[in-house]
Amino acid sequence: MRLLWELLVLHSVMLCLADDNTLHGPVFLQEPDSIIFPLDSEERKVKLSCEVKGNPRPTIGWKLNGSSIDLGMDFHYSLLGGALLINNPNKSQDAGTYQCVATNPFGTIVSREAKLQFAYLENFKTRTRSTVSVRQGQGMVLLCGPPPHSGELTYAWIFNEYPTFVHQDNRRFVSQETGNLYIAKVETSDVGNYTCVVTNTVTNSKVLGPPTPLVLRNDGVMGEYEPKIEVQFPETVPSAKGTTVKLECFALGNPVPTISWRRADGKPLPRKARRHRSSGLLEIPNFQQEDAGLYECVAENVRGRNVARGQLTFYAQPSWTQQIRDVRAAIEERVSWECRASGRPKPSYRWLKDGEPLLPQGRVQLEQGSLTIANVSLSDAGMYQCVAENRHGVIFASAELSVIAIGPDFSKTLLKKLTLVKVGGEVIIECKPKASPRPTYSWKKGKDILRENDRITVLDDGSLRIVNVTKADAGSYTCIATNHFGTASSTGSLVVKDPTRVMVSPFSMDVTVGESIVLPCQVSHDHSLDIEFTWSFNGHLIDFDKDGDHFEKVGGDSAGDLMIRSIQLKHAGKYVCMVQTSVDKLSAAADLIVRGPPGPPEAVTIEEVTDSTAHLSWRPGADNHSPITMYVVQARTPFSVGWQAVSTVPEVIDGRTFTATVVGLNPWVEYEFRVVAANLIGIGEPSSPSEKRRTEEALPEVTPANVSGGGGSKSELVITWETVPEELQNGGGFGYVVAFRPLGTVSWMQTVVASPDAARYVFRNESLPPFSPYEVKVGVYNNKGEGSFSPVTVVYSAEEEPTRAPTTVLARSISASDVEVSWAPPWENQHKGRIQGYEVRCWRHDEKEENAKRIRTVGNQTSTKVSNLRGNALYHLAVRAYNTAGTGPSSAAVNVTTKKPPPSQPPGNIVWNSSDSKIILNWDQVKALDNESEVRGYKVLYRWNRESSTSVIETNKTSVELSLPFDEDYIIEIKPFSDGGDGSSSEQIRIPKISNAYARGSGSSTSSACTLSALSTIMISLTARSSL
C-alpha cells in the first residue's frame, strides 16, 4: 500500500493537471457482446470486442468466469487492441462468462458480462424406427427426438421423399418446441414414410432422422371423439420485454378440432397478435407489461371441447433510469452517489471500487442504489461502478471520484485589480482562491490587519463586504487564505467615487396623437467615469435602431433626453430613464398619457328588427383620454358598395347614448351594422360588424321601370320591363303581374310571372291582329300581397313580314369601288306588312349569294350607294323590304360591272412659280395603264399649313394658276381623276411664305415633303426630309 504522502503527491499533481480535461480514468467506448460460436465454423477464431479511452492510456485485461486470464502465459489467447482473440476455441475450455478489465493510475473498471457459447448439432444415434400403425380417423403423434445440440433449432418433416415436406394446416402441425409431428385425424393419404429434419439456426447445419413408416390398421375406422390437446404451452411462460412470444396449442380429434385463442380475464387479444396456419401458433410481437395475463387455447368439435391455460408473466432486464457521474470532491467533503434501474423483477444493487466489491464500513455507507462516503480522503479516489442485476441480466455504470488536496492558490482567481464604488454605496471584494480543504481567511488594508465592525464584514466564502462606503475606505486590500497545505494572498485596490445624481428628471405629460415631445433626463456625475443612458417603455428596453421612426436619444455628455416623434396611442405608458456608471445605477420615471380618437365600440348587437327599422345596442370602447362626443351607425348589405352611413333615431347620437334605432331600411334585406365613435380629436376605428339579420317582409313598393315591348313573331304581343332589384323586392315569393288590353277597350287581361328575374312576357294568340296597339302595365307582388302597377304604356303587337318585293331595281357603276342602286317600293294595295326600310344585298360573280354584303336603309329611302367594291368586276344586286318581323321576298337580281380602277401613277415633275400674288403650277401628264380608267382631269388640293380644311380646283390641263396671298405657308398636292375615281396623289409640296415678288420651286414626286426657300429670281429644287 502506498504511503499517505505518496498518494497526496500523486493525486495533487494529477488532479491539478486534470483541469485541462486531459487526465482521467478509464471509460468504455465499446463493451463485449455475448457470442454463440458455431463449432463447425471454418473461422477458427473468436473475437470479443473491448474499446477503452483514458489518460494515461489504460491497460486492458480479461476475466473468464470471474478469474483473470494470464495472457502472457497462455498463447491460446491474444489481444488485438483491447479485443480478446481466442485461437482454436474449445467448447469445454472456453465456454463461459467474460469481462474486459481496464486500468490506469486513476483506477480500474470492469465491463458488462459477455457469454461465449458454442453451437453444434450432432447426428441421430438410431438408424431405424418402428412402424406406426393407426386406424383411419384416429389422431397420431410422430416423435422427432432431436440429437444432442446447442443453439436454437427449427423442425420440418419430409413425407416419403425429399423435397416433399408435410404441409401444415388445421389437420397437421409441427411443434417447434419438440419437433414432433401431430396429425389430428389420419386419412388414407397420410400413409407413407416420415422423416424429421432438424436445422441449427446458428450453424445452418441440418440432420435427418431415421424414417418412420405410417400404415393403416385394417380392423375398422375410428369413430368420432372429442378433442384431446396434445400440444400445449406451459402453465407459466416467462416473457421478456420487447421479445416475440410464441404459444403452441394443437389437439387430436374426430372431426378435426378447430383452435381458438382468448384471454381468461375477458380482455381482447392484443391487436398485434398473429395466428399462424391452423391457429395452432399464437405470436405476440414486442411483448409488453399490458400483454401479460392468463391465456387460453380452446379446441372443439361437434363431440366436445377442451381448454389449455397458461400464464404469461412479464420480465425485463435491468435498464438504467439514473446513472452515476464523475465527481470532483475536496478532501474532507461528503460524497454521495445514487443509481436507479428499472426491471422486472426489481433489480438489486451492488458497488465496485476499482473492479473489486465495495463493502459498507465506517465512512462508507451503502443502501440499495445509494453510496455515501463521509469525510472523503485521498485513499477514496478511484473508479466506482454501480451494478444493477436481476435473474435476467446485469448492467454496469461507471464514474470517477477525484479527491482534491491543495493549498490556497490565487493564480487563476486573483483579487480584482481595481474595484470602483460610490460614496455611501456597498461593495463586495471577492476572495476565491482554489484550495482544498476550505481555507480560513483574513484581510489587510495596506499593511494593517483589517478588523470587522458594523460596516466591514468578512463573509463565509472569504469575500470582504463594506457598506456605507466613505472616501476613507479607499486604498489597497489584501486577502490571506490558509489551510494545512499552505498560505497564499492576493491584493487589489478600492477607489471611491462621488455618486451620480439626477438633476432634471423626466416628468409626466399629457399629449395628443401626432405630436412630438422630449422627455428630459440630465445628471451630474464623476467625469472620470463612463456614463450610459438607456430608456425603457412599459418594462422593455427601447431599441433605438429598430424603433428609430419614433424614438431618438438626444442631449450632451450629461444628458440622455428622449425625443418621441409623431406620437401614437401605443406610445402611452411608463417611461424610465436609466443611468449607469461603473460605480452606480439609478433611474427616473414618467408617465405619458396620449389622447387620441376613440377606440372601436364593442359588442354591437341587433336587439330587434322590423320591416324598415333595426334597434341596436353597443358598449363604448376606450375613449383614449378624450370623452366620446358622438356615435355614427353604418350598415352593409350584399347589394351595397362597402359600408354606408344610415339614418337613426335619435338623429345625432351623443357620447353617453349606447342604443339607437336605424330607420329607412329596405324590407327583407340582410343587414349588418357597425358603430364608429368620435371625440374632439377625431373619428376612431369602427367596431367589429354585428351579426347579420334580415328585416321583415312588407308589400312591394317599387314597380318595374321602362315597360315597353313590341316585335316578336306573328300573333305575339311582346312585353318587356326592367326587373326590380332584389333589395327592393320587400319579401320572398316575389313576382310580376302583367296586364294588357287593346287600345280603346276597358277590360284588362292579366297574367302572373312568378320569377323575380323575369324581364319579358310574350302573349300568343292566333287571332291577335298584327301591329295593333295595346295598353300595357306591369305590377309586382310578394308573400305579403300585391303592390302597385307601373304607368300605362302603349306596345304594338308583332307585325307581319313584307309580302311583296321592290320593283324597278336599277344599278349603275359610279366609280371603280362604288355602285349606286335604286328601286321602287311595292304597290300599297298589293302587300301586307309595314315597311321599315330596305335591305340591299351585293355579291361578286365569283362569290356565293349567302356571303353577300348587306346594306340597310331606313324609312322611305329608295336608293343607296354600295362602296368598297373591287374595280372592273361583275356584281349582282337584289333588294328586299324589312320590318321587325323580318325581311320580305327579294327582288330579281340585277347585274353591274364596276369601272376600271383610277390611275395608280401620281403626277410628277411638279414645278411652281410665283408672280404678283399668283402661284402657277405645272406637272407632267399622267397616262393610265391598260387596266385603268382614262384620265379625265386633275384635282389640285391646297390648304394653309396651320389649317385642316382643304380647297380643291379641278382642271383638264397639266397646269393651274392660283391666286393666293403670300403671307402664309401652303401645302399642295395634285392627283388625277377618271371614271374609276380619284387616282394616286402626289407627295405634299410645301410653298413657304414669300417675301419677294418673284420666286420659283419644284417638288420631287418621290419625297414625302418639299420645303422651299424663296429666293428672288432663283429657282430652288429641294428634296423634302419630313412628312407634313
Side-chain angles (χ1 to χ4, degrees):
M1 178 180 288
R2 288 176 172 148
L3 296 176
L4 179 60
W5 71 269
E6 292 175 308
L7 289 170
L8 176 61
V9 172
L10 175 64
H11 282 267
S12 296
V13 171
M14 287 192 168
L15 292 173
C16 286
L17 292 173
D19 285 345
D20 62 3
N21 295 321
T22 58
L23 299 178
H24 59 87
V27 178
F28 284 114
L29 299 177
Q30 182 180 10
E31 298 184 64
D33 294 310
S34 295
I35 294 176
I36 301 177
F37 183 75
L39 268 180
D40 57 357
S41 172
E42 295 181 359
E43 178 64 42
R44 299 305 299 163
K45 288 183 181 180
V46 174
K47 180 182 178 182
L48 293 169
S49 298
C50 182
E51 186 178 353
V52 187
K53 71 174 182 176
N55 194 3
R57 185 176 180 181
T59 59
I60 293 179
W62 285 83
K63 288 183 178 182
L64 171 59
N65 296 328
S67 300
S68 295
I69 299 174
D70 190 345
L71 298 172
M73 298 300 294
D74 192 343
F75 295 104
H76 180 58
Y77 300 103
S78 61
L79 285 180
L80 179 61
L84 177 67
L85 293 181
I86 306 175
N87 299 304
N88 297 315
N90 181 278
K91 179 176 69 172
S92 58
Q93 175 184 346
D94 297 321
T97 301
Y98 289 79
Q99 284 181 286
C100 177
V101 182
T103 303
N104 75 0
F106 292 98
T108 299
I109 55 174
V110 295
S111 73
R112 68 187 175 203
E113 297 176 345
K115 292 184 178 180
L116 175 59
Q117 298 172 290
F118 290 85
Y120 60 90
L121 177 61
E122 297 183 3
N123 290 317
F124 283 88
K125 302 301 182 185
T126 58
R127 296 189 177 181
T128 60
R129 291 194 176 179
S130 303
T131 300
V132 176
S133 178
V134 296
R135 291 178 181 173
Q136 183 178 347
Q138 183 179 354
M140 179 211 67
V141 180
L142 296 181
L143 304 179
C144 179
H149 64 277
S150 176
E152 185 179 353
L153 301 181
T154 60
Y155 301 93
W157 284 78
I158 296 174
F159 179 54
N160 289 330
E161 294 182 355
Y162 180 83
T164 304
F165 286 88
V166 173
H167 175 68
Q168 297 187 66
D169 51 24
N170 62 344
R171 197 170 62 85
R172 291 167 292 193
F173 181 76
V174 176
S175 171
Q176 296 302 314
E177 297 291 335
T178 63
N180 299 337
L181 170 62
Y182 299 84
I183 302 179
K185 174 189 171 186
V186 174
E187 298 177 353
T188 56
S189 60
D190 296 324
V191 174
N193 291 321
Y194 291 83
T195 303
C196 181
V197 181
V198 183
T199 303
N200 189 311
T201 59
V202 180
T203 65
N204 287 324
S205 58
K206 294 181 181 180
V207 294
L208 275 63
T212 302
L214 173 64
V215 299
L216 292 180
R217 291 166 56 176
N218 53 13
D219 56 351
V221 177
M222 187 75 173
E224 293 184 349
Y225 63 95
E226 69 178 14
K228 178 184 178 184
I229 296 179
E230 287 288 341
V231 181
Q232 68 181 73
F233 49 99
E235 292 184 359
T236 301
V237 182
S239 304
K241 176 183 178 180
T243 60
T244 297
V245 178
K246 297 181 180 181
L247 303 179
E248 292 186 340
C249 181
F250 194 76
L252 311 182
N254 188 5
V256 175
T258 59
I259 305 295
S260 61
W261 296 85
R262 67 189 183 194
R263 289 183 63 154
D265 57 9
K267 294 180 181 178
L269 289 175
R271 295 182 62 182
K272 59 190 175 182
R274 299 190 292 262
R275 302 170 183 83
H276 286 251
R277 299 186 180 92
S278 63
S279 294
L281 176 65
L282 178 69
E283 277 191 9
I284 306 175
N286 191 25
F287 189 79
Q288 300 295 323
Q289 175 75 55
E290 61 268 19
D291 300 326
L294 185 62
Y295 284 72
E296 292 182 341
C297 164
V298 182
E300 55 185 330
N301 63 12
V302 295
R303 308 300 295 180
R305 68 200 300 265
N306 211 336
V307 179
R309 297 182 179 86
Q311 184 77 32
L312 269 65
T313 60
F314 176 83
Y315 75 85
Q317 297 180 355
S319 176
W320 290 119
T321 59
Q322 179 179 336
Q323 297 192 50
I324 58 176
R325 299 184 181 278
D326 294 344
V327 171
R328 298 183 66 195
I331 197 168
E332 299 176 359
E333 283 187 351
R334 179 186 180 90
V335 173
S336 293
W337 266 313
E338 184 175 14
C339 58
R340 286 286 177 263
S342 61
R344 189 73 174 261
K346 188 176 180 180
S348 60
Y349 300 90
R350 54 189 173 91
W351 289 82
L352 304 177
K353 179 178 183 288
D354 292 332
E356 301 298 329
L358 182 66
L359 302 176
Q361 57 179 2
R363 297 179 299 105
V364 179
Q365 298 296 320
L366 301 178
E367 183 178 353
Q368 290 297 325
S370 297
L371 166 62
T372 302
I373 306 175
N375 197 24
V376 70
S377 66
L378 287 173
S379 61
D380 296 320
M383 300 298 299
Y384 288 77
Q385 290 182 279
C386 177
V387 184
E389 56 190 330
N390 62 17
R391 63 175 176 268
H392 303 293
V394 183
I395 54 176
F396 293 75
S398 304
E400 179 181 352
L401 174 59
S402 305
V403 180
I404 304 172
I406 187 173
D409 179 12
F410 282 100
S411 61
K412 294 188 178 180
T413 56
L414 290 170
L415 255 64
K416 192 173 179 182
K417 187 175 181 181
L418 186 65
T419 301
L420 300 177
V421 66
K422 69 177 180 177
V423 172
E426 176 182 327
V427 66
I428 294 177
I429 305 175
E430 292 186 342
C431 180
K432 293 184 177 181
K434 186 170 184 179
S436 180
R438 182 175 176 274
T440 60
Y441 300 94
S442 61
W443 283 83
K444 287 183 179 182
K445 182 184 178 190
K447 296 182 179 180
D448 300 326
I449 297 295
L450 192 63
R451 306 295 180 184
E452 293 188 69
N453 55 39
D454 56 348
R455 289 195 314 110
I456 302 174
T457 308
V458 178
L459 303 179
D460 290 341
D461 66 354
S463 299
L464 180 66
R465 178 171 178 260
I466 306 175
V467 299
N468 196 17
V469 174
T470 68
K471 289 280 190 177
D473 293 323
S476 65
Y477 288 80
T478 302
C479 176
I480 304 165
T482 303
N483 67 12
H484 50 266
F485 293 113
T487 298
S489 64
S490 181
T491 301
S493 295
L494 179 65
V495 177
V496 181
K497 297 285 188 179
D498 290 325
T500 304
R501 291 184 175 85
V502 176
M503 306 306 292
V504 181
S505 299
F507 50 88
S508 296
M509 301 179 71
D510 190 328
V511 298
T512 301
V513 166
E515 292 183 351
S516 297
I517 62 166
V518 173
L519 292 177
C521 184
Q522 299 174 12
V523 300
S524 67
H525 67 98
D526 189 319
H527 289 281
S528 67
L529 301 175
D530 291 333
I531 189 167
E532 180 183 8
F533 292 89
T534 55
W535 284 84
S536 69
F537 170 50
N538 289 339
H540 299 283
L541 281 178
I542 295 176
D543 186 337
F544 288 95
D545 291 331
K546 181 179 178 181
D547 300 319
D549 290 345
H550 294 285
F551 297 110
E552 181 182 356
K553 200 158 41 174
V554 295
D557 293 339
S558 299
D561 299 348
L562 174 66
M563 175 179 282
I564 310 176
R565 296 190 189 89
S566 185
I567 290 174
Q568 304 298 311
L569 288 172
K570 64 182 180 180
H571 294 139
K574 189 179 188 67
Y575 288 83
V576 179
C577 173
M578 293 167 287
V579 186
Q580 183 171 2
T581 69
S582 53
V583 299
D584 57 2
K585 178 167 38 175
L586 64 161
S587 63
D591 291 317
L592 184 63
I593 297 174
V594 180
R595 302 185 187 278
E602 300 173 351
V604 177
T605 304
I606 304 175
E607 304 287 353
E608 183 183 0
V609 295
T610 67
D611 59 354
S612 62
T613 66
H615 187 67
L616 308 181
S617 66
W618 60 87
R619 294 201 307 268
D623 65 5
N624 292 328
H625 307 291
S626 179
I628 296 173
T629 56
M630 66 177 296
Y631 291 97
V632 175
V633 179
Q634 298 175 338
R636 181 171 65 181
T637 73
F639 316 107
S640 64
V641 180
W643 291 90
Q644 307 289 332
V646 291
S647 300
T648 60
V649 175
E651 186 175 352
V652 177
I653 308 170
D654 63 45
R656 296 182 300 277
T657 301
F658 310 122
T659 62
T661 299
V662 182
V663 297
L665 303 179
N666 290 331
W668 200 239
V669 172
E670 187 177 66
Y671 283 89
E672 56 183 334
F673 300 94
R674 71 182 186 184
V675 180
V676 181
N679 59 17
L680 294 176
I681 296 174
I683 298 174
E685 292 292 322
S687 68
S688 297
S690 68
E691 62 175 333
K692 295 179 180 179
R693 286 277 292 276
R694 188 183 287 273
T695 50
E696 295 182 354
E697 294 180 306
L699 286 173
E701 297 177 354
V702 177
T703 60
N706 293 332
V707 177
S708 61
S713 301
K714 181 181 178 181
S715 302
E716 288 183 348
L717 174 63
V718 178
I719 303 170
T720 60
W721 61 90
E722 288 185 7
T723 58
V724 176
E726 184 180 348
E727 65 267 28
L728 300 177
Q729 293 173 4
N730 288 11
F734 184 84
Y736 300 94
V737 179
V738 181
F740 54 94
R741 65 186 179 188
L743 183 65
T745 62
V746 176
S747 299
W748 291 91
M749 290 180 282
Q750 289 189 356
T751 186
V752 172
V753 180
S755 171
D757 298 322
R760 186 173 187 266
Y761 171 71
V762 179
F763 174 68
R764 294 181 178 85
N765 192 316
E766 292 297 330
S767 63
L768 202 66
F771 205 65
S772 298
Y774 281 79
E775 289 184 311
V776 173
K777 61 182 179 179
V778 180
V780 288
Y781 72 91
N782 63 15
N783 291 337
K784 298 292 286 186
E786 290 188 18
S788 56
F789 279 89
S790 67
V792 175
T793 186
V794 175
V795 175
Y796 283 81
S797 62
E799 55 188 336
E800 290 183 316
E801 301 162 349
T803 57
R804 292 285 184 177
T807 61
T808 321
V809 178
L810 299 174
R812 69 183 184 89
S813 175
I814 56 178
S815 73
S817 59
D818 300 320
V819 169
E820 185 179 63
V821 59
S822 63
W823 60 90
W827 294 101
E828 291 187 7
N829 59 354
Q830 291 182 347
H831 77 92
K832 296 180 181 179
R834 182 174 63 99
I835 295 177
Q836 278 187 292
Y838 296 91
E839 181 182 87
V840 177
R841 293 179 300 121
C842 175
W843 65 98
R844 208 168 57 244
H845 182 69
D846 56 353
E847 292 179 335
K848 294 182 178 179
E849 183 177 353
E850 54 264 31
N851 297 329
K853 176 187 293 190
R854 287 172 169 78
I855 300 95
R856 279 198 170 190
T857 67
V858 178
N860 296 325
Q861 181 180 340
T862 57
S863 67
T864 189
K865 185 170 73 171
V866 182
S867 302
N868 297 321
L869 303 179
R870 183 184 294 178
N872 197 25
L874 175 62
Y875 282 89
H876 308 287
L877 296 98
V879 184
R880 57 186 175 183
Y882 73 87
N883 59 21
T884 57
T887 55
S890 178
S891 69
V894 296
N895 302 330
V896 63
T897 300
T898 55
K899 296 182 182 294
K900 289 183 180 182
S904 58
Q905 184 69 25
N909 198 19
I910 300 172
V911 177
W912 63 271
N913 297 287
S914 66
S915 176
D916 298 328
S917 301
K918 294 181 180 179
I919 295 176
I920 301 172
L921 292 167
N922 292 276
W923 59 87
D924 290 344
Q925 183 177 352
V926 175
K927 292 185 179 181
L929 302 177
D930 292 341
N931 60 347
E932 295 176 345
S933 300
E934 290 296 329
V935 177
R936 293 176 48 212
Y938 301 90
K939 292 181 179 180
V940 179
L941 296 82
Y942 60 94
R943 62 180 172 84
W944 286 354
N945 191 20
R946 294 179 297 170
E947 301 252 342
S948 58
S949 60
T950 301
S951 299
V952 179
I953 293 178
E954 291 188 5
T955 179
N956 57 5
K957 300 178 181 180
T958 58
S959 65
V960 70
E961 183 180 289
L962 301 177
S963 296
L964 299 175
F966 286 163
D967 57 351
E968 290 289 343
D969 290 356
Y970 285 91
I971 303 298
I972 296 177
E973 55 185 296
I974 304 169
K975 57 184 175 183
F977 65 87
S978 66
D979 290 341
D982 291 345
S984 298
S985 176
S986 69
E987 298 296 337
Q988 291 183 345
I989 302 168
R990 178 174 174 267
I991 299 179
K993 180 166 54 177
I994 298 172
S995 58
N996 293 0
Y998 179 72
R1000 293 180 180 178
S1002 66
S1004 171
S1005 63
T1006 60
S1007 62
S1008 60
C1010 184
T1011 301
L1012 302 175
S1013 297
L1015 297 177
S1016 178
T1017 67
I1018 299 175
M1019 179 183 293
I1020 303 172
S1021 177
L1022 297 173
T1023 300
R1025 305 187 186 277
S1026 60
S1027 178
L1028 298 175

